[in-house]
Amino acid sequence: MFRKTVGLASAGVLALGLGAAMVPSAQAAQTAQSTAGSTTATTAACALRLGSVTSTGAFTSRMVNATAPITVGGVRGTAGVFGANQVQHISTFTGTPLGSGESRSGLTVMGGALYSSSFVVDGQSQLDPHYPHNNLRIGGGWSNYRWIEQSILRPANAGDPARTLLYGQRTDGVTQRWISDGSGWRITSGVGGLSTVKGIALIGRTATSETFLANTRSGALVTVTWPTKYLAAPTSRVVRGTTWQGFEQLIATNCGASGTLLLGIDKETKSGYLYAVGHANGTGTAIKSLGKVPLTFSDPQYFRIAPKYDVLNGG
């Protein structure tokens, strides 16, 4: 259950100004972002594992490869994971090899409530009846949220601290963060001023902070770095001032030693564009357009499927 030991009143609902800039569209962004030098990532070796939930409730998985040209691997679908048109929001899912199949887990919002969802697939990507298929209700009151995201830090060294954080943005623009303490979720911070954000993706994770890449309705692309310290306030930096307003969703994964492979989804045209992004450094961040993804983005929900040990060094 959720334990709101810190309300937003005492947390101060921290204000965050993102700045703004008018301009074109997602297609314009696809051609206009080759500035600021070359990216540090080796894009040919990078790939994003893209998940989706279909209108029938199936869970799909495929690879989007940063090749030239971009290639998309075959889709593997798992029927019966959710009910038809049931999932309203979904976080990054974790996929962990299990025998010839895979264990998958993440957070979902269904019917205005938050759930911990988990299941196991066999070698044919079908639900394995030998393992539980769970949608465990955590709590209600989530009908007024625009998106959720879960961040799990599992250090390679078992002696280092681990953590699980949950982020959620309400329709009034207030973004909240909770930490899992083993018995429930405890709120640790809240911030206002993010109402102009359209899409947001986690690109960096350290022992003391987490960094997101976000695009705004006015076209700016910014980083938002949020220290993990209790009641800490996030800071933002403009990466690009224009042309990024066409994307309703951003999905990102690690690429190279310190870069990011970024997917921008334009839900109106059901299209996606792929970018190689260097280590975040304000307007000095290198961004290379890789082109349009040869895939029609027609499913209701898209998200990333991450490995158990999910290294994110882009921020």
Side-chain angles (χ1 to χ4, degrees):
M1 61 180 290
F2 277 84
R3 297 191 292 111
K4 295 192 177 180
T5 56
V6 179
L8 282 179
S10 58
V13 188
L14 311 166
L16 178 65
L18 289 179
M22 298 296 294
V23 191
S25 64
Q27 285 78 4
Q30 188 262 333
T31 58
Q33 299 299 325
S34 302
T35 57
S38 60
T39 59
T40 57
T42 0
T43 58
C46 298
L48 185 151
R49 189 176 178 196
L50 181 66
S52 77
V53 177
T54 71
S55 59
T56 62
F59 184 109
T60 80
S61 169
R62 73 191 91 200
M63 299 301 296
V64 178
N65 304 299
T67 49
I70 298 166
T71 57
V72 177
V75 61
R76 304 200 72 182
T78 307
V81 177
F82 305 107
N85 298 309
Q86 188 177 40
V87 177
Q88 296 165 288
H89 305 296
I90 188 165
S91 74
T92 293
F93 257 60
T94 299
T96 306
L98 182 62
S100 61
E102 185 177 59
S103 173
R104 298 171 179 171
S105 61
L107 299 175
T108 54
V109 173
M110 297 182 287
L114 182 69
Y115 289 82
S116 174
S117 298
S118 62
F119 60 99
V120 174
V121 295
D122 58 23
Q124 284 69 51
S125 201
Q126 301 308 302
L127 284 174
D128 191 329
H130 301 97
Y131 296 92
H133 171 204
N134 293 321
N135 287 305
L136 301 177
R137 191 177 189 275
I138 296 173
W142 289 81
S143 58
N144 65 334
Y145 278 78
R146 292 181 55 220
W147 55 263
I148 61 169
E149 181 59 298
Q150 182 177 225
S151 173
I152 302 174
L153 174 64
R154 291 190 179 99
N157 182 352
D160 292 339
R163 68 168 183 265
T164 300
L165 298 175
L166 165 64
Y167 297 84
Q169 186 184 68
R170 300 195 316 236
T171 51
D172 63 2
V174 172
T175 302
Q176 296 170 283
R177 183 179 68 193
W178 295 262
I179 187 169
S180 174
D181 61 8
S183 61
W185 294 89
R186 175 171 53 87
I187 195 167
T188 67
S189 196
V191 57
L194 286 169
S195 58
T196 63
V197 166
K198 293 187 72 175
I200 191 164
L202 185 65
I203 63 167
R205 186 192 290 119
T206 71
T208 58
S209 68
E210 301 197 330
T211 299
F212 295 85
L213 195 61
N215 67 315
T216 70
R217 290 188 178 89
S218 59
L221 184 70
V222 301
T223 53
V224 179
T225 299
W226 203 333
T228 55
K229 185 179 179 181
Y230 182 68
L231 292 186
T235 58
S236 68
R237 294 183 72 184
V238 174
V239 176
R240 295 290 187 272
T242 62
T243 75
W244 286 85
Q245 70 271 25
F247 298 129
E248 283 73 39
Q249 186 174 8
L250 300 179
I251 300 176
T253 193
N254 203 58
C255 183
S258 60
T260 296
L261 186 63
L262 176 68
L263 171 65
I265 299 176
D266 183 341
K267 293 186 177 180
E268 291 183 2
T269 62
K270 299 181 180 179
S271 57
Y273 297 84
L274 203 60
Y275 303 86
V277 182
H279 190 76
N281 182 31
T283 55
T285 305
I287 302 178
K288 179 182 179 181
S289 170
L290 302 179
K292 186 176 181 180
V293 178
L295 178 68
T296 300
F297 290 81
S298 56
D299 287 337
Q301 304 290 335
Y302 286 93
F303 54 94
R304 183 171 72 101
I305 303 174
K308 180 178 180 179
Y309 296 100
D310 184 27
V311 177
L312 295 173
N313 292 325

